[in-house]
Amino acid sequence: MDHGGYTGKLLIVDLSRNKIEKENLSEGLIDNYIGMRGFTSKILWDNVKGVGGTDPENLLLIGTGPLTGVSLTGGRALAAAKSPLTGLLGYANFGGHWGPALKYAGYDLVVVKGKARKPAFIWIDDDKVQILNADHLWGMDTRETIKEIKAGFGDPRVQVLSIGPAGENLVKYASIMTYDGHAAGRTGMGCVMGSKNLKAVAVRGTGSINVFHQGEFKTLLKELMDHILRDEVSGKVAPKLGTTVLLNIVNETGALGTRNFQTGFFEDAYEISGEVMREKYTPQGRGRGCFMCPIACDRYTVVKEGEFAGTWCAGGPEYATLTNQGARVGNKNLPAIIKANELCNRYGIDTYSIGGVLGFAYELFQRGAMTKKDTDGFELAWGDYHVQLGLIKKIAYREGFGDLLAEGVKKMSEQIGQDSSKYAMHIKGLEYPSKDARGDKMYGLCCTTSARGADHLYSLSEFPASVELDIIEQMFGTKKAVDPHLPDGKGKVVAFFEEGCTFTDLLGICKLVYVTYVASMKELMYRIKILPKLYSAVTGISLNDDRLLECAHRVTTLEKAFNIREGKTGRKDDIPPYRFTSEPMPDGPSKGQVFEADIMLDEYYETIGFDKETGWPYQETLEDLGLEDALIELTERGFEIPQKQKAKSNHD
Amino acid sequence: MKKILAVNIGDCTGCRICEVICALEKGEGCNPSKARIKVITSEESGIDTPAICQHCKNPPCQDVCPVDAIVRDPQTDAVILREDLCIGCRACTLVCPFGAITTDVDRDVMIKCDLCQGNPQCVEFCPTGALQYERIDVIETRNMEKKHREILEAFSKSL
């Protein structure tokens, strides 16, 4: 391939037919979809139609971007498939060092098809690729599996992705893990892998990726790195605390999802905060870096004494795990949270979704909708971390009561019935992550509109601590956009951060570093503006702000079209959990707040060129983005895609 | 006074920017396998360490090289390997206590750090100061001060 950055090759592994093929990456894919999530979403749209998440016909895609393995924070890779949890778009992005290894081995993307007859793992040794027997690995947790595989090849450079017992047992929200504690967590990608009898994907990459304009690239890197290290947040706070800095901050704004979101204020938050964790359980006192990250916001944690002595995590817990294994279930025991994180990593379970499931079960128990008869004798008392840890194991192995919990909140609620849906904290089947929508409205809106269900990373909508109000007014029409309690401007804000997060997901770099770890809006804009320049320097393909934006819109619009086709979704599904719109926040700093979904959704759809009634893209939007094929296909399938012109005249 | 490349193990986060920058600088493209510096990682202890030539005062690699391909650069004091003379016998890598000399399997020659003619790019791009290029007395004074600050801090806490 003449371009830098890309390897130019796709690896296609057909597990049913035991066949391995390599294909050239098409120029059209590069031009219109750039990389990583762009590639995976386009391939899902083209090839995954009407199949179930655990069907052999589902594809498991593991992709990288043009900056993966090349540029600052280019440790990212992304696993994608139709989600067995939601029946919609599924993907999960992960850091660490696996993605770069795949690139050095010579592939931009792995496509896994079919289902192996017996447990198997894929061994990618540069240009030599094999499907190997994994009988001896089946049943092992991810830590054991990866250690075993690495020891078997005897080369420390080998990077491994693995599922644990949860993926094998088709827990709907099973994750795929790396050894250094990075998770492709959300939407059940580990379950898809398990359904294919695929235990692991091991890679040794020793090749080279070309950088087209090397001098310019190094100059840009240096400049960007200076910006990152000079910034108050990315240079000082994030290397110390990473995402865990949020715990106290979110609690103070009254948005820390506590006891299944019955309130947004956790009285014991400080005890499970990042500050305490750093002091007591991070012996090195500094972070650990994903590939080429100058911040290194990840951390090694270890518990040295007490009941959980010997527990360690190569990465995490992150903020979301602290809340989901902490406040969400009323648990204030930090070592128990670290243990829960270790267990989830080893079993291969998404710590967000399982937190959602546990919180839901605890609340049903509190309300008497479930009793000890239903829970195998467990008494689900808030804060009882022994029960919590016991349930994590039962879920991983689908033992007894765990079998129902392994299906996720939505299915649980359908099965339990009564008025359980009022406490079922999910959107489109994905467990709601961590910040209460009543206390942080842009976060709530982002979770409501994300194409993969309740997910805050589709549009990581967070303003820097100090914002320039004139810039805010200019960008979002009102200074009120920064107030987390007001609905004003939030549609535009979420649309803006959705673009930023899509940029980084297309390029294969970390969204936290480009849109979140910043001290000011000015710095945020600087980091977004450098992206096309970095891309051009690496690949030699010219890219400007407008074309990057157009590609990002194309990808998000196609992802939403995928959900329309596969799940008949629309505005009727973009609804926040009942509690957020119907129960005013009972206490804490957000007391009295409710989530004003409708007004914010209207503004969001309008901003992204979608119809407010249906929540679908206008015909004109699809055409402008070159998605005429999608328009034709949706129309042929009976979806009456609205016309902007018509909607406008109706409105007038 | 000559400068040395010093490694502060405690400050390394394992990000591997040094590997990529080194490979780029040496004309290998983005390819950590060809880097003259490697980060060794232990997930179990959470510790990362850059492994790189220490440019020893009495380099064993130089002693064993049968063709005198390993020489000292008078400008930078770096122990450098002349690839044009190297016969690829690998004797140097057998005796290096740091394992810091590796084989370029494509060209069949040994490769090692040459301090980039006195401007080591790994140091230039190291975000945490885990790699430093400084006069040895400055490095040692800094180190002494850092250690004693830690002692003082612990002391003041106990008061």
Side-chain angles (χ1 to χ4, degrees):
Chain A
M1 170 151 283
D2 299 332
H3 311 311
Y6 299 96
T7 68
K9 285 266 184 289
L10 308 184
L11 178 65
I12 302 162
V13 181
D14 188 334
L15 294 172
S16 296
R17 298 190 306 156
N18 207 28
K19 245 181 111 175
I20 289 149
E21 287 172 294
K22 290 165 195 176
E23 260 180 29
N24 290 331
L25 188 63
S26 83
E27 292 290 332
L29 208 55
I30 292 175
D31 284 349
N32 293 310
Y33 295 93
I34 294 183
M36 204 156 81
R37 207 177 104 208
F39 291 173
T40 56
S41 291
K42 169 66 171 159
I43 293 171
L44 287 180
W45 168 263
D46 286 343
N47 297 286
V48 175
K49 300 182 187 186
V51 304
T54 52
D55 291 349
E57 291 76 22
N58 196 6
L59 296 180
L60 176 66
L61 311 169
I62 312 175
T64 64
L67 300 187
T68 303
V70 179
S71 187
L72 283 196
T73 79
R76 309 308 295 189
L78 179 141
K82 189 169 183 181
S83 167
L85 181 62
T86 65
L88 305 172
L89 174 77
Y91 72 80
N93 179 320
F94 59 98
H97 299 266
W98 190 92
L102 184 72
K103 293 275 298 275
Y104 301 140
Y107 312 97
D108 292 306
L109 181 86
V110 185
V111 180
V112 183
K113 285 179 165 176
K115 176 181 181 177
R117 247 171 306 166
K118 285 171 47 165
F121 79 100
I122 299 171
W123 169 225
I124 302 169
D125 187 11
D126 287 326
D127 54 350
K128 203 172 133 209
V129 183
Q130 292 171 278
I131 302 169
L132 299 175
N133 182 291
D135 278 335
H136 63 299
L137 303 170
W138 206 254
M140 284 186 186
D141 70 36
T142 61
R143 193 178 277 176
E144 293 162 346
T145 305
I146 297 173
K147 222 175 157 181
E148 181 76 19
I149 292 177
K150 281 173 86 92
F153 292 121
D155 184 341
R157 290 173 301 180
V158 173
Q159 298 287 339
V160 188
L161 285 181
S162 163
I163 57 165
E168 294 175 10
N169 296 320
L170 306 185
V171 172
K172 290 287 166 57
Y173 41 87
S175 63
I176 305 173
M177 295 298 304
T178 68
Y179 194 56
D180 42 358
H182 294 279
R186 306 234 68 192
T187 70
M189 296 299 99
C191 176
V192 175
M193 199 157 147
S195 75
K196 297 187 173 304
N197 271 334
L198 179 62
K199 181 68 178 171
V201 185
V203 187
R204 172 165 56 195
T206 69
S208 181
I209 304 166
N210 186 24
V211 173
F212 207 88
H213 299 295
Q214 195 165 307
E216 193 188 330
F217 175 61
K218 271 178 78 180
T219 309
L220 284 169
L221 274 196
K222 189 80 190 139
E223 181 195 307
L224 174 58
M225 209 159 97
D226 287 347
H227 264 261
I228 290 172
L229 295 176
R230 260 204 326 264
D231 185 88
E232 190 64 30
V233 176
S234 55
K236 297 206 170 72
V237 179
K240 280 205 180 100
L241 294 165
T243 58
T244 68
V245 69
L246 285 170
L247 202 104
N248 282 327
I249 297 172
V250 173
N251 199 43
E252 279 153 26
T253 57
L256 193 68
T258 302
R259 289 180 283 274
N260 200 37
F261 295 93
Q262 293 186 67
T263 174
F265 185 75
F266 186 43
E267 57 286 357
D268 297 311
Y270 184 73
E271 290 184 44
I272 60 167
S273 66
E275 286 83 348
V276 171
M277 189 162 70
R278 178 178 154 84
E279 176 83 27
K280 291 189 177 166
Y281 303 104
T282 311
Q284 272 83 32
R286 51 146 175 80
R288 298 196 72 214
C290 287
F291 179 85
M292 279 189 91
C293 179
I295 299 177
C297 79
D298 202 357
R299 74 208 59 78
Y300 169 82
T301 47
V302 62
V303 183
K304 289 196 170 146
E305 47 197 31
E307 186 183 353
F308 300 107
T311 303
W312 61 274
C313 295
E318 297 297 334
Y319 155 72
T321 306
L322 292 175
T323 65
N324 279 308
Q325 300 297 330
R328 193 149 181 171
V329 287
N331 175 14
K332 61 171 178 176
N333 184 307
L334 187 49
I337 295 175
I338 298 173
K339 183 73 198 174
N341 192 86
E342 188 197 55
L343 284 181
C344 288
N345 286 1
R346 296 185 72 159
Y347 293 141
I349 305 177
D350 175 22
T351 60
Y352 292 71
S353 277
I354 198 170
V357 163
L358 294 174
F360 184 44
Y362 277 59
E363 183 166 8
L364 292 176
F365 197 91
Q366 171 200 320
R367 294 182 185 279
M370 279 196 311
T371 66
K372 277 162 93 170
K373 274 194 300 189
D374 307 301
T375 63
D376 304 341
F378 275 101
E379 178 146 352
L380 309 190
W382 295 112
D384 187 337
Y385 51 83
H386 290 112
V387 168
Q388 181 186 347
L389 297 173
L391 287 178
I392 291 174
K393 180 161 188 246
K394 283 174 93 72
I395 290 169
Y397 290 93
R398 283 186 175 268
E399 286 168 7
F401 176 48
D403 193 39
L404 173 64
L405 301 190
E407 291 296 309
V409 165
K410 186 180 177 201
K411 282 269 170 59
M412 282 167 68
S413 167
E414 284 164 10
Q415 199 139 326
I416 292 161
Q418 307 170 58
D419 59 355
S420 68
S421 63
K422 284 187 183 170
Y423 320 113
M425 306 304 291
H426 74 87
I427 300 170
K428 298 194 272 288
L430 186 69
E431 287 70 21
Y432 189 87
S434 61
K435 267 199 219 172
D436 196 302
R438 294 167 292 189
D440 186 338
K441 296 200 169 149
M442 44 195 186
Y443 186 96
L445 183 64
C446 143
C447 290
T448 306
T449 54
S450 158
R452 58 171 186 171
D455 153 37
H456 64 300
L457 294 167
Y458 201 75
S459 160
L460 195 48
S461 303
E462 257 165 41
F463 283 119
S466 71
V467 284
E468 305 86 326
L469 285 175
D470 49 328
I471 300 184
I472 296 295
E473 187 166 30
Q474 201 183 335
M475 287 176 70
F476 308 113
T478 166
K479 288 175 182 158
K480 291 177 187 167
V482 293
D483 188 332
H485 287 154
L486 295 175
D488 304 68
K490 298 300 183 288
K492 288 199 182 89
V493 171
V494 168
F496 167 76
F497 282 99
E498 187 175 294
E499 288 161 1
C501 290
T502 311
F503 297 161
T504 57
D505 280 358
L506 303 186
L507 294 169
I509 50 179
C510 177
K511 62 187 63 167
L512 287 176
V513 177
Y514 294 87
V515 304
T516 309
Y517 289 153
V518 287
S520 66
M521 280 309 280
K522 223 174 119 192
E523 178 63 20
L524 192 154
M525 294 316 292
Y526 163 79
R527 295 200 195 165
I528 286 182
K529 295 275 183 208
I530 203 170
L531 295 176
K533 292 184 207 162
L534 274 172
Y535 176 87
S536 301
V538 168
T539 62
I541 303 168
S542 71
L543 180 71
N544 57 29
D545 294 351
D546 289 344
R547 205 168 73 73
L548 181 60
L549 191 62
E550 184 193 312
C551 289
H553 282 163
R554 182 175 297 118
V555 172
T556 50
T557 305
L558 192 66
E559 288 171 344
K560 289 178 180 191
F562 180 84
N563 284 347
I564 296 168
R565 185 183 75 192
E566 299 301 313
K568 300 186 169 52
T569 59
R571 178 156 184 160
K572 64 180 175 37
D573 303 284
D574 289 351
I575 42 170
Y578 171 86
R579 168 164 276 153
F580 292 155
T581 50
S582 311
E583 283 179 22
M585 183 73 89
D587 50 27
S590 297
K591 188 175 179 186
Q593 289 290 330
V594 289
F595 184 71
E596 303 92 334
D598 285 335
I599 168 175
M600 290 186 278
L601 278 169
D602 282 351
E603 186 184 63
Y604 170 77
Y605 293 129
E606 224 159 81
T607 312
I608 63 166
F610 277 40
D611 171 48
K612 284 191 284 192
E613 305 297 315
T614 55
W616 291 347
Y618 287 124
Q619 291 188 17
E620 290 90 333
T621 303
L622 289 165
E623 285 159 358
D624 288 348
L625 294 169
L627 296 171
E628 292 89 349
D629 290 354
L631 173 58
I632 292 168
E633 190 172 337
L634 288 174
T635 308
E636 279 173 3
R637 285 170 183 263
F639 296 100
E640 287 176 30
I641 302 299
Q643 268 179 300
K644 190 175 186 175
Q645 212 47 52
K646 236 184 193 168
K648 230 181 147 196
S649 57
N650 283 352
H651 196 71
D652 297 339
Chain B
M1 203 178 298
K2 294 277 161 51
K3 289 182 174 183
I4 61 161
L5 197 157
V7 173
N8 275 331
I9 293 176
D11 289 334
C12 178
T13 65
C15 77
R16 298 168 66 206
I17 289 177
C18 53
E19 293 183 13
V20 173
I21 291 297
C22 176
L24 277 177
E25 181 65 20
K26 299 301 170 206
E28 312 279 10
C30 260
N31 184 355
S33 282
K34 294 277 176 74
R36 279 61 163 163
I37 182 168
K38 288 216 166 37
V39 176
I40 311 299
T41 287
S42 162
E43 307 302 351
E44 289 79 0
S45 63
I47 295 173
D48 305 284
T49 329
I52 188 168
C53 173
Q54 298 297 301
H55 302 276
C56 305
K57 191 164 168 247
N58 300 307
C61 55
Q62 190 177 22
D63 291 346
V64 299
C65 181
V67 293
D68 294 332
I70 294 176
V71 294
R72 195 174 290 277
D73 181 337
Q75 294 298 312
T76 61
D77 228 17
V79 175
I80 58 172
L81 189 150
R82 287 188 52 190
E83 291 179 8
D84 56 330
L85 298 178
C86 176
I87 56 169
C89 74
R90 307 185 62 257
C92 52
T93 194
L94 293 176
V95 296
C96 175
F98 298 93
I101 308 181
T102 53
T103 309
D104 181 328
V105 289
D106 296 323
R107 294 186 294 128
D108 244 340
V109 290
M110 308 311 291
I111 51 177
K112 73 177 291 300
C113 166
D114 63 1
L115 293 178
C116 301
Q117 291 78 51
N119 182 21
Q121 290 300 291
C122 55
V123 177
E124 188 68 23
F125 279 83
C126 177
T128 65
L131 296 171
Q132 291 181 27
Y133 188 60
E134 234 333 324
R135 279 168 35 174
I136 188 160
D137 59 327
V138 175
I139 296 264
E140 284 171 355
T141 312
R142 274 186 200 159
N143 190 35
M144 193 185 286
E145 170 143 344
K146 189 179 166 200
K147 298 282 180 205
H148 278 75
R149 274 193 194 286
E150 282 164 17
I151 295 170
L152 283 177
E153 233 166 77
F155 183 69
S156 69
K157 266 185 198 163
S158 71
L159 285 178

